[in-house]
């Protein structure tokens, strides 16, 4: 499928991933240069390949491009029809482009790996970060009680996303404020991940996108530890679009830049304090 790109979104560290520069996830494949970055996009179907009936030509779509393929910081992108879905109707292309990787990460952490149920208690380590923004919203939208760690300056922002309790990680130990947690979503790693085992109730789960958890520690506490890398998921994208259109999930943008300023956008990912996604506006 060929999509006319309207907007694309940047992900911190994507230029350091082995699969960005090769055709394999571990970097062992043949070199793939020059590359086109930005694996999240929103746009309009320009042409469908043979045998592709949906989405139809002219339909507004959004999605996550496989990491071993070229991205969407371009006027057009060719990609499998199975990795995209109809764009949320209630937001523009810039806002839709901010969703796929981060919102899919949140969905897969909470729904696929944690099997989150309404009424459970979730602790989000890094609630104001790029993925944490969506984990907090989605957990609250699914009926969970949400606690989150964040900087003091982000307290009101994270509370506005749906967190009932926001813990200032710089001045307070989260272990002193939460216990018997059903699900920890760790977006920080390191010592934060190691300390998180103690707040889980027996049978709970720690899900992380940062570093694989210590399985021995998980067993010692009677819980599960799960590490995963987000993947394209058409059905989840449809569910996310429905949540957006129902007002239960909102995209968060830090800034929108024209395609000609893509480089400055990636520089901002390394140097600037951000709240939400840096989005490239490609076309009206």
């Amino acid at each position: 499928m060929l999509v006319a790109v309207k907007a694309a979104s940047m992900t911190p560290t994507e230029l350091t991933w082995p699969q960005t520069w090769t055709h394999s996830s571990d970097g062992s494949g043949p070199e793939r240069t020059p590359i086109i970055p930005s694996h999240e996009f929103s746009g309009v179907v320009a042409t469908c390949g043979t045998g592709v009936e949906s989405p139809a030509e002219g339909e507004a779509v959004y999605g996550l491009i496989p990491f071993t393929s070229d991205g969407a910081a371009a006027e057009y992108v060719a990609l499998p029809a199975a990795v995209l879905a109809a764009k949320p109707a209630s937001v523009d292309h810039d806002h839709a482009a901010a969703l796929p990787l981060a919102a899919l990460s949140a969905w897969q952490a909470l729904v696929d790996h944690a099997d989150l149920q309404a009424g459970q208690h979730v602790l989000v380590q890094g609630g104001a970060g790029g993925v944490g923004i969506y984990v907090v919203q989605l957990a609250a939208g699914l009926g969970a009680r949400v606690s989150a760690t964040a900087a003091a300056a982000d307290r009101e922002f994270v509370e506005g996303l749906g967190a009932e309790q926001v813990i200032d990680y710089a001045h307070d130990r989260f272990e002193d404020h939460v216990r018997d947690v059903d699900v920890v979503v760790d977006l920080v790693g390191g010592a934060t991940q190691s300390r998180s085992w103690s707040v889980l109730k027996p049978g709970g789960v720690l899900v992380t996108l940062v570093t694989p958890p210590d399985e021995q520690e998980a067993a010692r506490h009677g819980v599960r530890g799960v590490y995963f890398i987000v993947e394209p998921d058409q059905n989840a994208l449809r569910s996310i679009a429905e949540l957006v259109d129902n007002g239960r999930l909102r995209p968060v943008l830090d800034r929108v830049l024209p395609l000609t300023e893509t480089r400055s956008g990636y520089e901002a990912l390394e140097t600037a304090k951000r709240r939400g996604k840096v989005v490239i506006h490609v076309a009206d």
Side-chain angles (χ1 to χ4, degrees):
M1 179 162 291
L2 186 68
V3 173
V5 179
K6 299 298 184 181
S9 182
M10 303 175 178
T11 302
T13 75
E14 72 175 280
L15 297 183
T16 69
W17 299 344
Q19 56 265 52
T20 295
W21 303 97
T22 71
H23 290 278
S24 64
S25 58
D26 62 1
S28 62
E31 186 177 273
R32 179 170 59 84
T33 53
I35 61 102
I36 299 173
S38 299
H39 291 272
E40 302 167 271
F41 76 94
S42 183
V44 175
V45 176
T47 305
C48 297
T50 303
V52 176
E53 298 180 357
S54 178
E57 184 174 328
E59 186 173 349
V61 293
Y62 79 133
L64 177 65
I65 301 168
F67 299 132
T68 52
S69 301
D70 276 334
E75 293 173 316
Y76 291 90
V77 61
L79 71 166
V83 305
L84 47 77
K87 179 185 79 67
S90 60
V91 297
D92 61 21
H93 286 288
D94 291 341
H95 285 78
L99 288 164
L101 188 147
L104 278 175
S105 295
W107 180 274
Q108 291 171 14
L110 294 170
V111 178
D112 296 346
H113 296 293
D115 190 25
L116 181 68
Q117 303 297 311
Q120 290 187 322
H121 186 188
V122 177
L123 172 61
V124 185
Q125 300 286 23
V131 174
I133 286 170
Y134 296 99
V135 177
V136 171
Q137 291 187 76
L138 182 58
L142 293 173
R145 181 164 64 93
V146 183
S147 299
T149 59
D154 291 321
R155 177 183 297 277
E156 291 186 8
F157 170 66
V158 178
E159 288 175 341
L161 298 174
E164 296 181 17
Q165 179 183 31
V166 180
I167 303 159
D168 177 3
Y169 65 81
H171 297 96
D172 295 311
R173 287 172 51 84
F174 61 84
E175 301 97 313
D176 297 333
H177 296 270
V178 295
R179 60 179 60 86
D180 293 330
V181 173
D182 296 284
V183 179
V184 172
V185 179
D186 167 42
L187 305 169
V188 179
T192 297
Q193 183 183 108
S194 299
R195 291 163 48 204
S196 294
W197 300 114
S198 66
V199 302
L200 280 164
K201 65 169 55 173
V205 58
L206 182 150
V207 184
T208 180
L209 292 82
V210 186
T211 54
D214 187 326
E215 294 299 334
Q216 292 183 337
E217 279 295 299
R220 189 168 72 86
H221 288 85
V223 300
R224 290 191 298 126
V226 178
Y227 168 76
F228 77 99
I229 297 173
V230 64
E231 297 179 349
D233 186 331
Q234 187 179 67
N235 287 331
L237 284 172
R238 289 170 176 157
S239 297
I240 290 165
E242 184 176 346
L243 288 169
V244 172
D245 288 339
N246 289 341
R248 297 167 64 189
L249 191 71
R250 63 180 174 91
V252 181
L253 274 61
D254 180 81
R255 68 193 73 183
V256 179
L257 302 171
L259 182 60
T260 53
E261 294 184 23
T262 298
R263 174 172 178 160
S264 67
Y266 278 100
E267 290 172 344
L269 293 180
E270 298 295 327
T271 60
K273 168 68 175 175
R274 290 168 288 103
R275 182 178 285 174
K277 279 284 188 177
V278 176
V279 172
I280 306 166
H281 182 82
V282 177
D284 295 329

